[in-house]
Amino acid sequence: MRTPRIVDAMNYIDDDLVSWAVEYRRVPLSTRLFRKPFLKACACFLVLALVLGVVFLRGENGNVVTSPFVLTAYAMSAESSDAVKTELETGAKVPISSFVTDSGVSGFVFSTPNTNDDMPASISIITHGNYYAYIQEIVGITIDPDLNYYVFIPGENEVQPYTVFISPINLNENLVYEYTVSISQQGEEYYAELLEVITREVIMK
């Protein structure tokens, strides 16, 4: 059987070339790509955008902001008659108190910014019980026209921890933000904890 030509030709290859081929290591793709100035600039831009995105999604204290809406809980002040407002953050418990409404019932109060143009502040009732009265006033809370309020009234047979679902709608962006909040009692005090925030698109028909 005849020896293939390529095998015969390999006898004439210089030993230095063979040694170089054995020691050769292919340059990684990332190194070869970033030799070009344009691609280097693109990579720098992407890194900068990522850093700015992380900073934008964090609050002043480094807490991750999960929604453009700020959900606020209200508690009675031990030092004055003014209500204490605390912004809810996922996984953190904040004090919350029961307030009396102008219709005589008591409930836990939350608020979100009123982002809908040309619409006044509203007070919504969240309850699993039977309640149909219209609320215009919450005793101890001055109604802010830039906020929408939500009063959670536990049902008679409802047990703790209470689970509250709050769903403000941003009509300007056609988005609804679904908040899941837990209210539990520790000693004589109540605390609210934001469990989850889900953003959904509003489908307009």
Side-chain angles (χ1 to χ4, degrees):
M1 185 170 65
R2 298 180 61 185
T3 304
R5 290 184 179 180
I6 187 170
V7 175
D8 186 53
M10 288 179 65
N11 293 326
Y12 300 98
I13 297 177
D14 191 288
D15 290 340
D16 292 338
L17 293 178
V18 175
S19 176
W20 176 86
V22 171
E23 297 175 356
Y24 175 76
R25 294 291 182 271
R26 185 176 178 84
V27 178
L29 178 61
S30 59
T31 303
R32 285 182 283 147
L33 286 176
F34 294 135
R35 283 178 180 171
K36 299 181 180 180
F38 174 74
L39 294 178
K40 281 185 179 180
C42 289
C44 291
F45 175 77
L46 289 175
V47 171
L48 180 62
L50 179 62
V51 171
L52 290 177
V54 171
V55 172
F56 178 76
L57 290 175
R58 290 182 176 273
E60 294 179 357
N61 298 322
N63 297 305
V64 176
V65 179
T66 53
S67 167
F69 271 156
V70 176
L71 182 63
T72 300
Y74 291 75
M76 294 181 180
S77 173
E79 300 176 354
S80 66
S81 58
D82 298 330
V84 177
K85 300 186 292 183
T86 308
E87 295 180 3
L88 286 169
E89 298 171 352
T90 306
K93 292 185 177 182
V94 303
I96 190 170
S97 300
S98 181
F99 288 84
V100 178
T101 67
D102 58 353
S103 57
V105 299
S106 60
F108 301 96
V109 181
F110 301 88
S111 70
T112 60
N114 180 12
T115 61
N116 301 317
D117 298 335
D118 303 323
M119 293 185 67
S122 64
I123 301 177
S124 303
I125 303 302
I126 303 172
T127 182
H128 298 148
N130 297 321
Y131 185 82
Y132 304 101
Y134 180 73
I135 292 177
Q136 292 180 305
E137 181 183 347
I138 304 171
V139 179
I141 297 177
T142 302
I143 301 302
D144 187 335
D146 294 328
L147 299 176
N148 288 328
Y149 295 86
Y150 304 85
V151 181
F152 170 66
I153 303 174
E156 293 181 1
N157 299 322
E158 203 165 350
V159 296
Q160 296 181 45
Y162 305 128
T163 301
V164 187
F165 301 99
I166 301 174
S167 301
I169 299 177
N170 187 335
L171 295 177
N172 297 330
E173 299 182 3
N174 290 333
L175 294 175
V176 57
Y177 302 95
E178 299 177 356
Y179 293 93
T180 303
V181 181
S182 175
I183 299 177
S184 58
Q185 186 175 8
Q186 297 180 5
E188 297 181 355
E189 305 295 332
Y190 284 93
Y191 293 89
E193 179 181 0
L194 179 60
L195 301 179
E196 184 181 32
V197 182
I198 299 176
T199 305
R200 300 186 189 278
E201 185 176 356
V202 178
I203 300 176
M204 308 296 290
K205 295 184 179 180

